[in-house]
Every structure is written in structure tokens, then in C-alpha cells.
Amino acid sequence: MVGVDNFGPVLAALSVMQSNVARNQKNTAHTYLENFQKSRDAWTVTVAMLSSPDSATEAKLFAATTLKGKIIYDLDQLPREQLPSLRESLLSLLSSYANGPKPIRTTLCVCLANLAIQMIEWNNVLELVGSTLGNSAGDCVLDFLTVLPEEVTEGRKINLSEEDLERRTKELLEENSGRVLQLLVSYAQSSATAAQNPHLLDCIASWTREIPASDIVKSPLLDAIINGFSVDASFDAAVECITTLYRETRDVDESIDVIQALYPRVLGLQPLIKRIADEEDAEKFKSATRIFSEAGEAWVVLIARMPAEFRRLVESILECCARDVDREAISATFYFWADFKQMITVEKYAAARTQYTPLFAQLVDVMIKQLEFPSASGTNELDLFDGDRQQEENFREFRHKMGDVLKDCCEVISVTQCLSKTFDLIKSWIGMYASQATQTSVPHWQELEAPLFAIRAMGKMVPRDEDSVMRQLIPLMVQIPDHQKLRFQAIMALGRYTEWTALHPDYLQPQLQFIVSAFNHESSEVREAAALAFRYFGSDCQQLLQHEVQNLHGFYDSVLDKLSPYSQEELSEGASCVVAIQPKENIYSSLKLYCDPIVDRLKQRAAKAQAEPTNKAVQVQVAETIRLLGIFVSNVNPYYESTETNQAVIYSQELLPVLAQVVSAFPTVLPVLECVGRCWRAMVISFRAGILPMLPDLARELALGFEKTRQGCFLWATGAVLREFALDNEHVDTGTSRAVYEFFEQQAFAFLKIMDQLPPQDLPDVIEDFFHLTEDALIYGHDQFVPSAICTPIFTAALSALVLEQEHPLTRTLRFLEDLLSYGTEHPHSSSFEAGSPAAAAKNKSSIKALVSAQGDSLVQRVLTGMMFSFPRDTLQEASSVLLLLFEISPEQTANWIKHTLEMLPQGTIRAGESEKLLVAVHEKVQNGQTQKIRALIRDFTTSYRRRHVAPREGLGSLMPRPQEQTV
């Protein structure tokens, strides 16, 4: 590719990648550099680039990163006798870069560390590195010592056996830990500057898992860590170092001596909280908070066990929360509060709970104060973040996490006490500012909105029979000023207490009036909140609203078109719950009352969409309207005896032809088709066996829908039919079950016809839905499906689908294959808890073995090469499961098929002896009956191959990322 003295093409390609040139030029340069990184020439070229004084820093960093990839993945390209020469080159380069640039120096240290791991004959690693680099290269030696444990821990990337890696880990880390401790102590004591060097602290943190924490806290290194907090340059490194020490002391009983030595030093850092808060350095305050919160997380058992001794630590964490003006550090305490709550609400620590109750009471006050929105800096009082929508969204998410802390407080100090605090804040605001509020201005509204949010956040914790604070809160909440933020929060809060309202009917009407009036509010946010709240009132208070079905319809129909699609669904959810509670004889009339107007809207919008075929917005409206009908179908499903006429089914029979006409009118509009398929599926799930009167018509429309549109949503709905009318369903007669299975085969033949006409890449969604359906057929009708004639072409179609690279359809296909192959073993993936007919089981097993014998070689090729080249990472578990089942069914044949597949790989892509090593190991496991252990062998082999030859290496950035690969 390139020679030692000619790395111009590499520099030119890097220049193209960093330039504003045409996409195809970048493609060419990217491909060239990828190939270069995996080539043999890269060994010498990268060293030459790093040695050249003329190379730019960016090019040298690319060279160093490429060299790192070569050592990790391609060391077998070099003869073993050349490794000492490579080591000398690396040490020489490190000497050259001892003073930086730091990224290059660190990358070269990683190179040397990975060489040390694999060069098992190198026995004096620390001595040689230290003597070669010398005392003048202190940072360089510290960098190497820092990365060595990290790289050994990541040793799975390296092509070493488990035994060699374990032995090398012991040699490099365990046997060197004492020596490293002495080196670090000597360095720390060499000068005041050295003791404050952040690289020293990084190195201590890296070796904490290898050097016992007790040795560190007894050594002068603890002073170096604590003193690091007084120096800005080493502050963050000191935080990382001490928090790493905490993690090593989580077993508090085993580490009690270490904690007793460390805890006073941590408490001595408490003055940092105020000092750093006064500096108004948000990032530094966030780091300071970690000092205390992560100590709390590690020692939470002791905090609960010894409240007198550890109360100051909890007070320090609380102080961090209170002083966090920028609200960027407080989230670092959330894990502690959650763990602490879990601990002290255990009966064993009831005494500690009593002692910590005042601190949790203060925490409620702090959290509610931190919930307050900031004040607007401009004239628009609702623009609180200067137009920064991301900052606003982050604040919203942050508030919900604080709400979780308030829930924890409810469990510790009681719901009533927490609610009382919000009630007192609301009363206080009313006393101070309510008289000043006008239609256009509400003074200090943030101080009222925050407790309203807190009430909303704590809703889940408030019992339905709470009878003291809620009776006072509800009347106040429905009278808050008409300010957008306040109205929104009050409505959302009321929606959290609908279960309470269901037991306190006297409070229903004021809340309902408050919410209904909000549907005419000018703010869409308030209207959306009202729709969401109405959903919960309809669901939880349906018994109280049963006789309001007529009145509610007038309201429902009048506001429906004013709402966003999402809010229309929420409103319909609430209304449908009220319809569902009507007497059975009134279900049909109630459905017609609510749904006929929706059907009219559907017809009007469908007509408009047909008249304006390019108007996508109207097509979306058609889909949204169908979704509303589906909500009523899903929720209105009262129980009818088999001898009774199901009125909901009667109404659905009227809907069926309307929806069928929509399918005919919009055969290519996916959103519309998916909503129809979802609605038809909901009919099956809702009415179950009650749908029998309309089942033939529904099956016909599902078949026609799939045939006309080739969309998987109709297969998805077919799956619901198949599951509901399976053979082992006691409420379904055998004739119906057989007819339903024949319906499945009809859909399958239609799918196979499509697969013959189009490549799998054009049908990913259809493939996903079909194999989901086929899994249902296999689970619920295996004795029919497995020996049937259609099983073989479906298996062949699954093989064809394995060329896909999209995760979801590929996962579904592999799971189907896994389920199917299981019927060739003694443990099929059946839905039945009872053993089936022995004759049927034997027939199934024979059918699968014949199928595997005929197509097993092709299946192994597709699965194994997929794992090596194209399958997404999250599908590898399923893929290896398929291979394991093949080994269980036909072990010797499967081993031969794997050998055949490996022989087809490109020349030179497998290391010498690598294929033989895998096959010998597989054969050994087969002979010993340890087929389950083959999974790890195949996983390691395919992962190693993929990293070396397929996955892009580091160094090219993310200019052209691949969707299915992660940089290694």
C-alpha cells in the first residue's frame, strides 16, 4: 500500500477527511484509511509518521491510534522475534513525547501496555519502562502506570486465552501492586510539586483495585489525595481518586478500619462546600458534591447503623443540595437519598429513622425550593430560559427526578407531613400575594407553582383514605390564579389524585368544572393537561360519572377538534371509560352516541384526502381519527355471557366495512393502514371469543388487506386471531381453531409470494411482522405447523431474511428459527404446560431433523457469517442460540458445517491455527456433551474476527459512522 518513507498518501487522505470536499471524495479517503489501518504496512508507516518531525500533530495522533489498534488486534501479523524491536520503538517514541502532546503520549502508553499484556515473555515490565524513560519523564511513567490496569481489565479485546490472560493479569498487576505503591509514595514525597500532580492522583485511582485500600489510607498517599482538594489543577483528579476509594469500601464490615481512617478526613472537607459555592463555579461545585454524596452511597449501611457518628455526612450532603444555586450538582445526590430511604425504612433501623427525620423534613423544604422556575430576564415572563429550549427541557426532566426524592421523603417522614409543608407554602403565598394577582400578572408565581408541582409529584404516595390535608388542599387548588404555569400545574396535580376523589365524591364536581373550563384556555399546554387529567377522572371516577354519559358527550364532541391528536386520544380514553361502565343493554347506543360522530369525521377526512392525494396532513388526520375509534374498541368491552348478544361486537360489525373501505382507498398510506390494523387487532383482544359472529368477515378483510397493501400490520392483527382461537383454548371449538389455522396458512402463502417477488431488503417491516405471526403459529399450533408442507418454504424464507442488517426484523427471524429448531430437541418452546402426544412430539422432532439435514449447511453459513460481518450487536445472543440448537440436534454435522463456512472466508483473514483451534475446542465440547459452552467459543471467535476485519478502528472520528458498527 505505502512504503516506510512514503506516507504521503496517508497524509493526503487525512487531509481530505478534514477538508470541505465532495462526499464521494471523503468516501474514498475513508475507505483508504480503513484499509490502511488493517494492513501490514501500517506497522512501519505509523512508526515513521510518529518519528517524523514534519508530520502534523493530528496526523501523529492518527498514527498513534492506528498503532494501538494494530497491537490490540493484529499483533499476530508480526513474527514473535520482532516484538522486542517493536517494544524498543515504543519506548523510544515515548521518550520523544514525554513532554507531550498528552493525547499522543497517552495513546503510546496504551500501545506499550497492550504489548506488555501480549508479550508474555517480557518479565520486567515496570523496571524496563522506568529505567528507559528515566526520572525526568515522571508524567510519562505515571501515564503508563495509569493505563496498565485499565488495559489489562479490558483484556477481552486481546487474542489471549483465558488462562494466559489470567496469568498475565497476576504477573502485571497483583505481583506489582506493592512495587507500584512504593513508587507512588516515593514520587509523592520527592517534591511539593510532585505531591500535587494530578497525574499522580489519576494513577492512584487506577491502581486502587489492585492495591488494598487499607495500604493507601495508611500511606502518605492519603495526604496527597486530601491536599489535592486545595489545588485547582488537581481538584477533579482528587475527587475521582477519593470516590474510587469509596467504591473499594462498599463492604463496610470488611472495610471498617479503612472507613474509620478515611471518614474524619472527608468530614474535614466540609468547609469546601460553602467556599466553592461562594466561588460560583458550577462544575467545581458539582465535583465537590460528589465527595460527600458518593461517600454516602458507599457507606449507607453505616449511616443507618450508626446515626450519631454519620449524621454530619448526611448534613453535608443536604448542605450541597441547599447551596446548589445552579441546580447542576443536586442530581449527584439522588442515588444517595434513594438508597438511604431504602435502608432506614427497614424496621431494623427504625431508631435511625427517628433521628434522621428532621434532616428529611429539611430535605423536603430544600427540594421544593429547588423546584422553583427561574425568574424571567426579559419582558416575557413565560420565557424563563432566554429561548434555550434544551435548557428548559433539562430543567423539566430534573424536576421529575427531584419529585422522586420527595416520594422518598414521604416514606421516611410520612405523606401527611410532606403534604402539610406544601399546604403551608400555598397558604403563605395566598396570604402574601393573592390580593396582588390580576388577570395579566401574578407576583412571585414561582413560589406557588413549586409546591403545586410537589403535590403532583407526591400523588403516587398519598393513600386514597388520606383525610386531613387533602380536604384542605383541593379547594385551594381549584381557585388558583389563571396563570398559564399555575393552571397547568394545578390540573396536572389534580389528575394524580383521582383515586382519592373516587372515594370523596363531594370533591368531584369542583375539580371537574375546573378541568372542563381549561379546555377553552388559550394555552395549548393547559389544554393538553386538561385532556390528560380528564383521562384519569374518566378512568378512576367512572362509577361517579356513569349517569353523566349524555352530558359528557356534548362536552366531548364540542372540544375534540380543538385539541392536538395526542390530547384527543387522552380525552377519548377518559370518555370511553365512562361508556364502558354503562349498563350492558345501553352499550350499543352509547357507542353510537360517541363513535358515530367520529365515523362522520373519518368519512369527511377520507373524502378530502382522496380529493387531495398529495396532502399528507389530511392523510395523517384520517389515521388519527381511526385511532380514536380504536380507543373505544379497546376500552368498551363489558362481560357478556355466551348466550347474550355482545352489543360492542354489533357496533364493531358496523365499523368493519367502513374501515375496509378506508383500506381500499389508501392502500399505500402506511399510517392509515397501521391504524386500521391496530383497530381490528383491538377488536379481537377486546371481545375475545365474543368476536365469533364477525370473525369470518374480519379474517377476510385481514387477508384482503395484506394481499392489497403488502403491509405487515395485517399480519400483526392476524397473530391476535391465531392466539385467541388456538386449539387448546377451552372456549373455542375445534372447527373454529382449524379454520383459523388455515387462515394463517393463507396469510403465509401470500407472504411467501411477496418474498419471491422482492428482495428482503425491501421488506424489513413485513418480515418482522410475519415471523412474529409465525412464532405464534408455532407456539399455539406446533403439531400442525412443524410437519406441514408450508414449514419448509417458511424456513427457507427465514434463511433469506438473514441478509438483513436491521436489528428488529433480524431478531424476530432468529427467534423464530430458535423456536422452530427447539422442536428438534427434548425441550421445545411450547405454550402448553402439559406434555403433548408422544407421537406428535416424535413427528415434530423427525421433521426438524430432516429440515436441518437438508438446509443446515446454509443456515450455519448465514448465521456464522452474519455474526462475523453484519449482524447488529444486540442480535448475537439469538444467533448463537440458533447454532447451539443445531449442535444439540446434529452435533457432528454442525461442526462440519462450521468448518466448511470457515474455509470460505477470505484468504489471510484468519490467523494461523486459529480455525483449527476453534474446531478442536468445539469438537472437544461436542464429545463431552458440553454444547452450552460452545456459545462462548463462537462468541469469542466471531467477536475477534469482527474487530480485526470488519469494525472500523479508532482514529477516523465520526465523519462517516456506520449504523451497525461501533468503533473498537
Side-chain angles (χ1 to χ4, degrees):
M1 183 178 287
V2 290
V4 177
D5 300 322
N6 180 21
F7 45 80
V10 177
L11 297 179
L14 285 171
S15 177
V16 170
M17 292 295 293
Q18 296 167 347
S19 303
N20 185 20
V21 297
R23 182 79 173 180
N24 64 333
Q25 289 180 269
K26 287 199 172 189
N27 281 337
T28 302
H30 191 279
T31 301
Y32 174 85
L33 291 172
E34 272 197 322
N35 292 334
F36 164 73
Q37 287 187 309
K38 296 171 184 177
S39 70
R40 292 179 180 272
D41 289 334
W43 289 107
T44 49
V45 172
T46 52
V47 173
M49 290 174 67
L50 286 163
S51 304
S52 170
D54 300 325
S55 300
T57 300
E58 293 81 2
K60 290 180 177 180
L61 181 58
F62 170 77
T65 306
T66 298
L67 185 56
K68 179 181 76 173
K70 300 299 291 180
I71 292 173
I72 293 174
Y73 304 117
D74 300 332
L75 196 63
D76 63 290
Q77 291 179 348
L78 297 179
R80 297 296 296 184
E81 57 269 20
Q82 288 187 18
L83 297 189
S85 175
L86 174 61
R87 179 181 62 193
E88 298 310 313
S89 297
L90 287 173
L91 288 168
S92 175
L93 289 170
L94 269 173
S95 297
S96 302
Y97 289 96
N99 296 319
K102 187 176 185 298
I104 297 177
R105 184 182 72 206
T106 302
T107 304
L108 289 173
C109 286
V110 173
C111 290
L112 189 60
N114 279 283
L115 179 61
I117 296 168
Q118 297 179 81
M119 195 173 171
I120 56 179
E121 62 271 25
W122 183 8
N123 297 318
N124 61 337
V125 174
L126 297 189
E127 292 86 343
L128 183 59
V129 172
S131 62
T132 304
L133 297 179
N135 295 330
S136 59
D139 282 356
C140 190
V141 175
L142 287 172
D143 272 359
F144 175 75
L145 289 175
T146 299
V147 303
L148 182 61
E150 298 167 359
E151 295 306 310
V152 172
T153 304
E154 292 295 318
R156 287 305 315 148
K157 291 182 179 179
I158 294 173
N159 189 40
L160 281 182
S161 68
E162 293 284 354
E163 295 78 11
D164 285 343
L165 181 58
E166 185 177 342
R167 183 168 56 253
R168 200 60 177 151
T169 299
K170 183 178 181 181
E171 292 171 353
L172 292 175
L173 302 184
E174 293 179 33
E175 295 176 2
N176 279 322
S177 61
R179 187 178 296 112
V180 170
L181 177 62
Q182 293 172 6
L183 285 172
L184 296 179
V185 170
S186 298
Y187 179 81
Q189 294 178 327
S190 64
S191 69
T193 303
Q196 297 174 352
N197 187 347
H199 295 293
L200 169 66
L201 300 176
D202 291 338
C203 194
I204 297 171
S206 182
W207 278 85
T208 297
R209 269 191 282 184
E210 313 306 328
I211 303 173
S214 57
D215 291 348
I216 294 176
V217 298
K218 291 175 185 175
S219 75
L221 294 182
L222 181 58
D223 288 333
I225 297 170
I226 298 300
N227 293 337
F229 292 109
S230 61
V231 181
D232 286 345
S234 59
F235 186 87
D236 287 337
V239 171
E240 292 300 329
C241 196
I242 201 165
T243 53
T244 304
L245 265 179
Y246 295 156
R247 287 191 283 275
E248 295 304 309
T249 61
R250 281 183 175 272
D251 187 338
V252 294
D253 292 317
E254 187 176 292
S255 307
I256 189 65
D257 293 339
V258 178
I259 296 170
Q260 287 175 342
L262 192 55
Y263 179 51
R265 307 298 297 271
V266 174
L267 288 184
L269 298 172
Q270 188 174 12
L272 284 175
I273 301 172
K274 181 179 185 305
R275 177 169 65 79
I276 296 174
D278 292 342
E279 292 174 5
E280 298 183 357
D281 185 335
E283 286 301 316
K284 193 173 182 181
F285 189 79
K286 190 187 301 184
S287 296
T289 299
R290 290 182 56 204
I291 299 170
F292 302 97
S293 64
E294 294 191 30
E297 291 174 38
W299 304 335
V300 67
V301 174
L302 288 181
I303 296 173
R305 190 185 295 171
M306 306 166 65
E309 291 83 351
F310 282 88
R311 182 186 177 97
R312 279 190 61 196
L313 178 58
V314 181
E315 290 174 342
S316 300
I317 299 171
L318 182 60
E319 183 182 356
C320 291
C321 296
R323 292 188 182 277
D324 184 19
V325 178
D326 295 301
R327 299 173 177 140
E328 293 189 8
I330 193 171
S331 59
T333 70
F334 292 164
Y335 285 116
F336 165 72
W337 294 120
D339 289 348
F340 191 28
K341 179 268 299 184
Q342 288 282 77
M343 192 64 61
I344 63 170
T345 51
V346 174
E347 184 62 32
K348 179 180 179 181
Y349 299 117
R353 177 177 179 176
T354 302
Q355 293 190 48
Y356 285 121
T357 292
L359 296 185
F360 271 90
Q362 292 178 47
L363 180 61
V364 174
D365 297 331
V366 169
M367 287 295 162
I368 295 177
K369 186 64 181 175
Q370 294 285 30
L371 284 171
E372 291 182 11
F373 273 102
S375 299
S377 57
T379 56
N380 183 359
E381 69 167 13
L382 294 180
D383 185 10
L384 308 173
F385 299 91
D386 297 326
D388 189 338
R389 295 301 167 217
Q390 185 58 52
Q391 186 181 357
E392 182 174 4
E393 184 59 34
N394 291 343
F395 181 68
R396 289 177 186 274
E397 182 180 346
F398 162 73
R399 294 179 100 204
H400 286 290
K401 291 179 180 177
M402 282 200 291
D404 292 337
V405 178
L406 287 172
K407 295 186 186 78
D408 294 336
C409 294
C410 288
E411 290 195 57
V412 176
I413 66 172
S414 84
V415 169
T416 299
Q417 188 173 345
C418 292
L419 279 177
S420 295
K421 285 180 172 290
T422 62
F423 177 63
D424 291 342
L425 287 170
I426 292 174
K427 280 202 308 181
S428 174
W429 185 92
I430 290 173
M432 295 176 64
Y433 304 117
S435 60
Q436 304 172 35
T438 66
Q439 290 291 330
T440 57
S441 176
V442 179
H444 302 281
W445 62 266
Q446 291 93 336
E447 295 177 22
L448 177 57
E449 194 271 350
L452 287 172
F453 181 92
I455 293 168
R456 170 188 167 191
M458 294 185 291
K460 181 181 178 181
M461 308 304 299
V462 179
R464 289 181 291 177
D465 59 355
E466 202 287 325
D467 219 30
S468 57
V469 184
M470 290 303 301
R471 288 181 178 273
Q472 303 174 72
L473 264 176
I474 295 294
L476 287 182
M477 291 168 66
V478 297
Q479 297 181 56
I480 58 103
D482 189 17
H483 179 282
Q484 176 185 327
K485 296 287 187 185
L486 297 176
R487 192 72 179 270
F488 170 83
Q489 210 55 257
I491 291 170
M492 293 294 287
L494 291 175
R496 291 291 180 92
Y497 292 88
T498 49
E499 291 185 0
W500 182 90
T501 302
L503 295 182
H504 300 79
D506 293 346
Y507 292 83
L508 173 62
Q509 285 304 320
Q511 295 181 74
L512 208 55
Q513 290 170 8
F514 182 73
I515 290 168
V516 167
S517 65
F519 281 93
N520 295 315
H521 201 279
E522 62 181 11
S523 166
S524 61
E525 189 179 55
V526 172
R527 295 195 298 272
E528 289 172 4
L532 181 60
F534 185 84
R535 171 184 181 169
Y536 292 115
F537 274 95
S539 173
D540 296 331
C541 303
Q542 58 182 178
Q543 296 287 350
L544 301 180
L545 295 170
Q546 179 179 3
H547 301 297
E548 299 292 331
V549 67
Q550 293 284 345
N551 295 332
L552 285 177
H553 170 257
F555 153 73
Y556 172 81
D557 199 50
S558 66
V559 303
L560 188 64
D561 294 331
K562 299 178 182 178
L563 302 175
S564 67
Y566 176 76
S567 293
Q568 287 181 2
E569 292 179 33
E570 300 289 0
L571 182 68
S572 300
E573 290 280 356
S576 63
C577 289
V578 178
V579 172
I581 204 67
Q582 298 305 303
K584 290 192 288 188
E585 61 272 16
N586 294 340
I587 289 294
Y588 176 78
S589 59
S590 298
L591 279 171
K592 282 190 72 68
L593 178 66
Y594 278 81
C595 293
D596 277 2
I598 300 176
V599 172
D600 291 339
R601 288 178 173 87
L602 174 60
K603 292 177 179 177
Q604 293 167 9
R605 291 166 181 172
K608 183 177 181 182
Q610 285 182 285
E612 304 173 18
T614 60
N615 191 336
K616 301 295 183 184
V618 182
Q619 294 174 0
V620 170
Q621 282 187 331
V622 172
E624 290 163 352
T625 309
I626 298 169
R627 195 174 287 119
L628 301 184
L629 292 172
I631 289 171
F632 280 90
V633 168
S634 295
N635 293 340
V636 184
N637 52 4
Y639 175 75
Y640 286 89
E641 296 289 347
S642 58
T643 56
E644 296 178 301
T645 301
N646 189 321
Q647 294 198 3
V649 172
I650 293 176
Y651 188 77
S652 293
Q653 285 178 299
E654 296 180 9
L655 285 180
L656 185 62
V658 175
L659 297 176
Q661 289 176 10
V662 171
V663 172
S664 297
F666 302 99
T668 61
V669 183
L670 185 57
V672 171
L673 299 175
E674 286 183 338
C675 287
V676 172
R678 187 178 293 112
C679 187
W680 285 346
R681 182 175 182 270
M683 291 178 183
V684 179
I685 294 172
S686 246
F687 309 138
R688 306 196 67 180
I691 204 172
L692 271 173
M694 63 178 294
L695 185 58
D697 292 336
L698 178 60
R700 183 183 66 252
E701 296 302 341
L702 286 171
L704 288 172
F706 181 58
E707 183 181 348
K708 288 180 181 178
T709 68
R710 296 183 172 182
Q711 293 300 329
C713 53
F714 299 106
L715 299 177
W716 184 49
T718 300
V721 177
L722 196 59
R723 287 192 298 275
E724 186 57 42
F725 295 95
L727 269 174
D728 57 356
N729 191 326
E730 60 179 324
H731 301 294
V732 180
D733 63 83
T734 304
T736 300
S737 293
R738 286 176 178 166
V740 166
Y741 179 79
E742 290 171 4
F743 168 49
F744 155 72
E745 288 199 339
Q746 179 185 352
Q747 296 287 64
F749 279 121
F751 169 80
L752 294 172
K753 183 178 178 181
I754 295 171
M755 282 287 284
D756 283 340
Q757 297 170 351
L758 295 171
Q761 290 84 349
D762 292 350
L763 301 165
D765 294 335
V766 180
I767 288 172
E768 179 181 355
D769 287 321
F770 175 73
F771 284 110
H772 195 167
L773 167 64
T774 310
E775 277 188 89
D776 290 333
L778 184 58
I779 292 171
Y780 296 104
H782 40 269
D783 291 341
Q784 293 170 282
F785 177 75
V786 174
S788 69
I790 203 171
C791 183
T792 298
I794 289 177
F795 184 85
T796 305
L799 293 186
S800 300
L802 294 180
V803 301
L804 294 173
E805 297 184 12
Q806 295 98 320
E807 179 182 337
H808 295 299
L810 190 54
T811 298
R812 186 58 62 187
T813 305
L814 288 167
R815 285 179 181 169
F816 159 72
L817 288 169
E818 188 179 348
D819 287 341
L820 179 64
L821 293 174
S822 75
Y823 286 88
T825 71
E826 299 297 330
H827 44 83
H829 299 175
S830 172
S831 66
S832 176
F833 292 104
E834 298 179 3
S837 161
K843 188 176 181 181
N844 291 339
K845 189 180 295 186
S846 174
S847 299
I848 295 300
K849 288 188 174 181
L851 194 59
V852 167
S853 179
Q855 301 196 56
D857 194 8
S858 298
L859 178 58
V860 169
Q861 286 181 29
R862 292 286 174 90
V863 173
L864 191 59
T865 56
M867 293 176 71
M868 297 168 75
F869 290 98
S870 62
F871 285 178
R873 194 174 303 277
D874 288 342
T875 66
L876 299 183
Q877 181 75 11
E878 286 82 4
S880 61
S881 294
V882 170
L883 293 178
L884 284 184
L885 284 164
L886 287 173
F887 272 109
E888 192 169 345
I889 295 167
S890 185
E892 296 293 342
Q893 272 189 302
T894 304
N896 289 332
W897 292 331
I898 287 181
K899 180 181 180 182
H900 180 220
T901 302
L902 296 180
E903 290 169 350
M904 298 169 64
L905 293 173
Q907 185 78 19
T909 59
I910 295 185
R911 299 181 175 115
E914 188 176 17
S915 175
E916 292 77 8
K917 180 181 176 182
L918 172 66
L919 293 172
V920 167
V922 167
H923 183 73
E924 178 186 331
K925 303 303 180 190
V926 169
Q927 292 298 314
N928 296 334
Q930 299 174 311
T931 53
Q932 285 298 322
K933 294 187 177 181
I934 295 175
R935 186 196 297 272
L937 295 173
I938 293 174
R939 179 199 63 203
D940 291 348
F941 176 82
T942 56
T943 300
S944 174
Y945 186 94
R946 192 169 183 141
R947 282 171 173 162
R948 296 198 312 270
H949 301 294
V950 181
R953 302 278 173 91
E954 288 183 39
L956 295 180
S958 56
L959 289 174
M960 302 175 69
R962 295 184 179 183
Q964 302 297 345
E965 294 294 347
Q966 298 177 6
T967 300
V968 298

